[in-house]
Amino acid sequence: MTSALPSDRSQTFPQIVHSGHPMEPSSVLSVHNLAFLEGLSEAYDRDQNSVTPEWAAFLREARAFEDRNVPISSSSAAQGHSEVADVVLQNHVDDLIENYRLHGHLGARVDPLGRPPPVTTPMLDPLTYELTEGHYDLRFHSMGLFEGKATLRAILDRLRNTYCRHVGVEYWHLPGVEERSWLRQRMESCENQRVPDPDEQVELFRNLAHVDNVDRFLQTKFVGAKRFSISGSESAICLLDWLIEAAAEHGTQEVMIGMAHRGRINVLMNILGKTPIEVFSEFAGSDAEANVGGGDVKYHMGYFRQHVTRGGKDVYIALAFNPSHLEAITPVIQGRVRAKQDATRTRWGFDGSIAVTLHGDAAFAGQGVVAETLNMSRLTGYTVGGTIRVILNNQIGFTTDPHDSRSGLYCTDVSHLLQAPVFHVNGDDPEAAAYVAQLALDYRQKFHREVVIDLICYRRFGHNESDDPTFTQPELYGLIKGHASVRDQYQAILIERGSITAAQCQQLDKIQYDDFDAALSAAKKAKPLKLRTPMHGIWTDYLAGPEPKDDDPHTGIELEDFTRLAGRLVTIPSGFTPHPKNRRMLETAGKMYAGEQPLNWAAAELMAYASLVDGGAPVRFTGQDAIRGTFSHRHAALVDPETGARWCPLQDIHPDQAAFEIYNSPLSEMSVVGFEFGYSLAAPQALVLWEAQFGDFVNGAQVIIDQFLSSSEDKWNRVSGLVLLLPHGYEGQGPEHSSARLERFLQLCAEDNMQIVNPTTSAQAFHLLRRQVIRRWRKPLVVMAPKSLLRLRAAFSSREDLLTGRFLRVIDDDAADPNRVERLIVCSGRLYYDLRSEQERRRCDRVAILRIEQLYPFPEEEFDRCVARFPKARSLVWAQDEPENMGAWRHVAPTLCELRNGELFPNYAGRPASASPATGSPEAHRLELQRIFHTAFDDL
């Protein structure tokens, strides 16, 4: 809209009109374009920030002039005040309104124990703005609180009701005007409160009663058993219930929940529908023999159900398993949901699957993985369109008070890095919890951004039911002891409203207790329940358990397909100008694919991905600098230096190909590996890879590896096919750029839970990646990926090696003469090429060098066949780059000792045991390598 208002603001408002002559307000407005000023005024009232500071100042001046020219009635004059305020008072009122929107949460009554807010709030006191009782009946512009003007009394009532009752809101920091305006209008129009219909009130009460009765029953029947009760934060069940109902009404097909152990049993029963007999069976006992070495405690287990809401909508609900590492599940949930969204994006977008995570207050503030996960929440490769995060704020962490567990005022302060709205809710008000759940879900669906709900409650018992919290917090637990439960408080309210009667409450308790008694009796008689199999739904056609002997598919591809794919990988599209070095790289790759040169690692790897997406298998690849590759070898996407355009050949194979996605990850290990693990849980058909910048950095994700990757099948019956590419190799680059800690992975290996490989040729890498998708068996694959081998010509493979064959678990020494070999040197990985070079330098034909390409599951049959080819061998050496207390030596030694009934006792050739993985001196590195050669080859 073009305004008739002058740009010259040097004149006062009356001078602009008629040389200072008094005029009626209507005349003033007509001169200055009435329609424009009305629109400006409405926009200002809706959201002060939607008007530039210059126009806001002009509008205030215009209003003040208007007010001064309104005749004062004799009656109001007799009362000693005007019906409107002057510009100074209006400015004070504006400041008061804005500070309530910004700081009102500081004065909200959100602590159920009734303790005063932790900070003083002068910014919420009208006296701070020189507004006294004498001004309360004056009328002011209300900045959108009301249509037009309202008395200061009405303005204060609405502000206090909206921002200072049982819901405190941090939202005025949001950068988006539309988001702020949307939330402001929703909250202020209902004063941040919604009284549910009587039927809904009864449903809320049923939830609270069930939670309360479950806790009382377990406390009585299983005295001293840990259950990590939700008692004190029961409103969380009401919140989740309404959240799921609201999500289903928005068309959501799946709600994925992640949480730690606090309140988990209650969530399983009240939200997931886990039956009392299932729960009581776990308390009553389990099949000891079936659970030897496996399973997990009941408050870590996951569950799922197909649920029909009260509105008749179908929605799949799942609660993910979780270890005691409280926040480790946070990124896993997001990855799981992203996989589902990717699979259904054309139909549902971000709305088909929603992530909901529950957190403890101390954990949310204290665990770094929370900040890591929040940081990646809006990145292209990791966003899920907004996760709803609920903090069960017990105002204590085990025995630690908030002032000892966080530096900020709120446990939610870390979420400000996302500039997300934060709702602080009094946990004693289930209606407030339900209302905020609906508001949060609506916000998420509209803006696809994170929402944080801080449900402030308390923990009625200690950390567990056998713990005595009065040792450390006697004052706090003195308050809790005399505090009525959420259920009792809400029951009294509903009886007073007439929504329910005391008799009905007693009858409900009796019905639930009778159900529990019957379930407990049945649980004691029934056989212990077994874990649900994960091989349902999309997992039906895949295998878990031990590695099958007959699942070793051919992984080569036809020459015709190879040639066609090669053309797509190296043909530059019209209008795209690659970097000169990239152009030469493409030309070289073209010669490799044509069979004129052996294929390097990058050419073989990219061909593996191309063949997979061409065949319908999606590929998702993330990692720090994964697109180009840390060693500038991959270049999965190229950038036009003239236009900045990006071309990814693997996304341009053919129109109906499967998706190829590759993302440079944030500088994080734990959250990103957790995300990709979660993604792999919902995408068994896909090749999901994470690459470490250097293999050493994977130890930043050790919690995910220990608690999920290596043990999820054994603990929770959940299978993953995630691939970790970990650059590993001793090349004189120091202790932090040598070792991917191979020994740690091998220590975690048992029951065929993982695959640990150390490939030495580009063809091996090609077949390995294809095998991971083509075979039905799904297990995590940990690859000790190369560094120097990426460009070592001896490690390159012919085109024929890719077209035929499969991944070799052991590579024999075909050049060795079985009649002359006296010593077998067994190794794995990069060191093979150093050993081969040293053998050639020494012209030693009495040695055969065998390569173990797959260290776990150890290929005993293949290895025994190779050893059997050399019947005259009288000594055996295991050679490795890593120190003696690291690498594979202590893993393979027992197997090597059994060769030929112990006749070939293995000797060790490698670096001595060390506290550090490698030396930082290149000269020392070379000296150590010579000593390895000496042990491996001398004394023949």
Side-chain angles (χ1 to χ4, degrees):
M1 178 184 295
T2 302
S3 170
L5 294 171
S7 59
D8 180 10
R9 295 292 315 284
S10 62
Q11 294 179 296
T12 64
F13 191 84
Q15 289 173 333
I16 294 172
V17 184
H18 267 308
S19 302
H21 293 293
M23 300 181 65
E24 290 294 322
S26 60
S27 300
V28 174
L29 293 175
S30 65
V31 172
H32 281 78
N33 191 325
L34 177 61
F36 173 77
L37 280 181
E38 286 179 346
L40 186 69
S41 180
E42 290 174 2
Y44 180 77
D45 282 342
R46 285 195 303 271
D47 188 343
Q48 189 175 5
N49 290 336
S50 67
V51 177
T52 64
E54 292 79 14
W55 280 117
F58 187 88
L59 186 58
R60 288 177 180 174
E61 187 178 356
R63 287 174 169 176
F65 179 78
E66 175 188 350
D67 293 340
R68 287 194 297 271
N69 284 277
V70 172
I72 300 176
S73 68
S74 58
S75 60
S76 62
Q79 295 172 6
H81 62 78
S82 123
E83 292 183 358
V84 291
D86 63 19
V87 66
V88 175
L89 285 177
Q90 180 66 59
N91 286 343
H92 289 336
V93 172
D94 290 348
D95 290 341
L96 175 66
I97 294 171
E98 184 167 355
N99 273 287
Y100 262 89
R101 290 168 174 167
L102 180 61
H103 299 298
H105 56 90
L106 296 174
R109 302 191 305 275
V110 292
D111 187 347
L113 300 177
R115 293 172 294 184
V119 296
T120 57
T121 53
M123 70 288 292
L124 306 181
D125 187 348
L127 291 175
T128 300
Y129 309 95
E130 301 177 1
L131 298 170
T132 67
E133 289 278 350
H135 299 109
Y136 279 23
D137 292 319
L138 298 180
R139 296 177 64 79
F140 297 89
H141 292 281
S142 62
M143 295 177 66
L145 281 167
F146 299 91
E147 291 187 11
K149 298 174 183 176
T151 65
L152 179 57
R153 189 181 308 280
I155 289 172
L156 278 170
D157 284 346
R158 179 154 290 186
L159 289 172
R160 288 166 177 166
N161 287 341
T162 301
Y163 298 108
C164 296
R165 287 195 290 188
H166 287 173
V167 179
V169 191
E170 295 179 82
Y171 79 107
W172 212 239
H173 61 284
L174 299 181
V177 172
E178 183 185 3
E179 293 178 52
R180 283 201 312 273
S181 297
W182 186 89
L183 283 169
R184 181 191 63 75
Q185 192 279 328
R186 282 285 300 265
M187 294 186 297
E188 291 176 353
S189 63
C190 69
E191 298 185 348
N192 249 344
Q193 184 181 56
R194 176 181 176 261
V195 178
D197 296 334
D199 289 346
E200 294 174 325
Q201 295 175 33
V202 172
E203 190 62 36
L204 288 173
F205 176 72
R206 286 181 186 277
N207 279 326
L208 295 174
H210 196 268
V211 171
D212 191 51
N213 288 331
V214 165
D215 258 9
R216 292 176 187 272
F217 189 85
L218 291 174
Q219 181 77 4
T220 302
K221 301 297 183 180
F222 302 97
V223 179
K226 292 181 181 180
R227 64 181 187 275
F228 297 99
S229 167
I230 202 171
S231 184
S233 51
E234 296 95 322
S235 291
I237 299 299
C238 302
L239 189 155
L240 289 173
D241 181 42
W242 276 52
L243 196 63
I244 292 167
E245 291 287 324
E249 291 300 319
H250 276 279
T252 298
Q253 304 298 300
E254 175 187 79
V255 176
M256 173 60 65
I257 304 171
M259 66 180 298
H261 49 269
R262 174 71 55 202
R264 190 179 188 89
I265 291 174
N266 304 89
V267 171
L268 284 167
M269 295 185 71
N270 289 278
I271 301 299
L272 275 296
K274 193 169 186 177
T275 64
I277 189 171
E278 289 178 289
V279 173
F280 299 158
S281 292
E282 293 171 348
F283 275 91
S286 62
D287 185 340
E289 187 65 36
N291 283 276
V292 169
D296 201 351
V297 291
K298 48 191 162 291
Y299 38 81
H300 288 172
M301 304 304 290
Y303 204 78
F304 58 89
R305 73 183 290 200
Q306 195 68 41
H307 173 62
V308 179
T309 68
R310 292 185 291 279
K313 306 289 186 180
D314 289 326
V315 60
Y316 176 84
I317 312 171
L319 174 65
F321 46 79
N322 193 53
S324 284
H325 292 67
L326 303 177
E327 294 296 332
I329 194 65
T330 304
V332 175
I333 288 294
Q334 284 190 206
R336 163 68 180 78
V337 169
R338 174 60 182 261
K340 188 61 176 288
Q341 289 175 348
D342 284 350
T344 61
R345 189 171 304 281
T346 55
R347 183 176 182 186
W348 301 108
F350 285 126
D351 296 339
S353 185
I354 292 179
V356 179
T357 54
L358 276 67
H359 314 259
D361 50 315
F364 194 79
Q367 294 285 297
V369 69
V370 173
E372 289 185 24
T373 306
L374 291 172
N375 177 62
M376 69 185 188
S377 293
R378 293 182 187 168
L379 302 180
T380 303
Y382 305 91
T383 184
V384 294
T387 298
I388 296 177
R389 307 193 182 279
V390 181
I391 291 88
L392 302 185
N393 188 344
N394 291 315
Q395 308 185 74
I396 190 172
F398 199 169
T399 66
T400 304
D401 291 313
H403 62 262
D404 288 323
S405 66
R406 62 175 184 263
S407 296
L409 177 62
Y410 294 122
C411 65
T412 56
D413 286 349
V414 66
S415 68
H416 285 317
L417 69 87
L418 277 182
Q419 297 178 313
V422 180
F423 298 92
H424 304 280
V425 185
N426 189 314
D428 267 2
D429 189 343
E431 292 182 359
Y435 157 75
V436 168
Q438 175 78 60
L439 179 60
L441 195 282
D442 290 347
Y443 174 88
R444 187 269 180 198
Q445 297 299 80
K446 181 172 180 60
F447 297 104
H448 291 134
R449 290 183 174 271
E450 306 282 308
V451 187
V452 179
I453 303 174
D454 179 19
L455 188 66
I456 301 173
C457 31
Y458 56 90
R459 189 186 66 197
R460 184 165 292 279
F461 306 107
H463 177 65
N464 58 59
E465 286 65 33
S466 62
D467 179 51
D468 186 352
T470 61
F471 289 147
T472 49
Q473 278 79 23
E475 183 178 354
L476 172 64
Y477 275 86
L479 292 173
I480 293 172
K481 184 177 181 180
H483 190 74
S485 71
V486 180
R487 175 253 170 89
D488 288 344
Q489 292 182 57
Y490 195 55
Q491 177 175 314
I493 291 171
L494 296 194
I495 291 174
E496 182 179 352
R497 288 178 182 171
S499 301
I500 199 168
T501 66
Q504 288 173 321
C505 296
Q506 293 173 358
Q507 180 65 18
L508 178 62
D509 289 342
K510 183 179 185 306
I511 292 172
Q512 291 181 352
Y513 262 83
D514 288 346
D515 287 345
F516 296 160
D517 270 328
L520 180 58
S521 297
K524 290 179 177 178
K525 298 175 183 177
K527 293 182 180 180
L529 299 175
K530 295 183 178 180
L531 285 175
R532 291 184 178 187
T533 175
M535 301 306 176
H536 69 279
I538 59 174
W539 282 93
T540 301
D541 295 330
Y542 298 94
L543 300 174
E547 183 177 24
K549 299 299 183 182
D550 59 347
D551 190 20
D552 196 12
H554 171 78
T555 47
I557 59 178
E558 297 295 329
L559 177 59
E560 180 181 352
D561 292 331
F562 186 96
T563 303
R564 174 176 55 84
L565 295 173
R568 302 306 300 168
L569 290 173
V570 301
T571 302
I572 301 169
S574 176
F576 185 89
T577 303
H579 188 284
K581 290 184 178 179
N582 286 145
R583 183 183 292 276
R584 290 195 295 273
M585 178 199 75
L586 291 172
E587 292 172 353
T588 301
K591 294 177 181 178
M592 293 177 179
Y593 292 138
E596 299 173 13
Q597 298 180 15
L599 280 74
N600 62 17
W601 214 275
E605 180 191 11
L606 295 176
M607 179 57 74
Y609 303 143
S611 65
L612 289 173
V613 298
D614 182 63
V619 175
R620 176 183 166 88
F621 194 154
T622 70
Q624 295 155 8
D625 312 295
I627 296 176
R628 193 193 74 177
T630 296
F631 309 103
S632 195
H633 68 287
R634 179 172 297 113
H635 294 282
L638 289 73
V639 178
D640 187 327
E642 298 178 4
T643 66
R646 185 174 124 163
W647 169 51
C648 180
L650 288 162
Q651 295 173 347
D652 193 25
I653 300 299
H654 65 75
D656 297 323
Q657 70 173 79
F660 177 84
E661 294 185 338
I662 187 166
Y663 301 102
N664 288 335
S665 73
L667 198 62
S668 158
E669 287 82 36
M670 183 172 177
S671 66
V672 176
V673 175
F675 186 101
E676 303 307 336
F677 174 81
Y679 195 102
S680 71
L681 294 177
Q685 77 286 3
L687 181 66
V688 184
L689 309 102
W690 175 76
E691 181 177 63
Q693 193 174 63
F694 285 88
D696 314 65
F697 301 163
V698 74
N699 56 18
Q702 199 65 47
V703 169
I704 301 297
I705 293 163
D706 290 350
Q707 304 302 325
F708 293 94
L709 197 75
S710 65
S711 57
S712 64
E713 183 179 357
D714 210 26
K715 293 191 295 188
W716 308 310
N717 215 10
R718 290 309 308 270
V719 181
S720 165
L722 179 63
V723 179
L724 304 185
L725 302 180
L726 311 178
H728 173 87
Y730 282 61
E731 291 150 359
Q733 296 186 39
E736 271 72 58
H737 292 86
S738 298
S739 177
R741 297 291 190 171
L742 172 61
E743 66 282 354
R744 291 182 181 171
F745 288 98
L746 291 173
Q747 285 173 347
L748 294 171
C749 288
E751 301 176 292
D752 288 5
N753 61 330
M754 293 189 291
Q755 306 165 85
I756 314 297
V757 301
N758 197 359
T760 55
T761 72
S762 60
Q764 283 284 85
F766 170 85
H767 291 296
L768 176 66
L769 293 171
R770 284 180 50 78
R771 184 185 75 163
Q772 183 69 0
V773 174
I774 293 173
R775 71 193 310 202
R776 296 177 61 208
W777 193 57
R778 285 291 177 271
K779 292 295 170 85
L781 171 62
V782 180
V783 182
M784 297 293 115
K787 295 184 292 184
S788 62
L789 300 192
L790 297 173
R791 294 179 172 83
L792 182 68
R793 293 193 65 83
F796 295 0
S797 300
S798 69
R799 183 175 69 172
E800 186 63 25
D801 290 337
L802 275 66
L803 297 175
T804 61
R806 55 177 53 87
F807 176 75
L808 301 176
R809 294 173 174 84
V810 181
I811 298 181
D812 200 351
D813 190 345
D814 294 332
D817 184 350
N819 294 317
R820 291 191 55 79
V821 169
E822 299 176 8
R823 173 172 296 174
L824 299 178
I825 298 178
V826 185
C827 66
S828 183
R830 187 209 63 84
L831 182 63
Y832 164 78
Y833 294 100
D834 288 335
L835 293 169
R836 179 64 75 191
S837 178
E838 179 68 11
Q839 181 190 28
E840 292 173 354
R841 187 187 70 80
R842 293 176 178 236
R843 298 180 180 177
C844 178
D845 63 355
R846 291 178 293 168
V847 167
I849 305 176
L850 308 181
R851 284 174 274 177
I852 308 295
E853 301 280 289
Q854 178 173 297
L855 289 159
Y856 190 84
F858 192 83
E860 293 188 22
E861 292 183 6
E862 294 96 322
F863 183 63
D864 286 346
R865 284 197 295 269
C866 290
V867 172
R869 286 189 59 242
F870 303 98
K872 296 184 178 180
R874 293 292 175 264
S875 64
L876 183 145
V877 172
W878 172 264
Q880 68 177 36
D881 264 327
E882 301 87 352
E884 186 176 4
N885 58 320
M886 303 177 193
W889 163 239
R890 292 182 178 176
H891 174 79
V892 301
T895 300
L896 298 180
C897 287
E898 296 175 1
L899 291 173
R900 293 183 185 171
N901 296 320
E903 293 179 3
L904 282 176
F905 189 81
N907 293 306
Y908 170 77
R911 290 172 170 82
S914 172
S916 175
T919 177
S921 164
E923 293 77 17
H925 167 78
R926 288 191 288 271
L927 176 61
E928 291 170 349
L929 187 60
Q930 290 302 315
R931 290 173 176 172
I932 293 173
F933 294 156
H934 174 77
T935 304
F937 289 100
D938 286 0
D939 303 324
L940 271 175

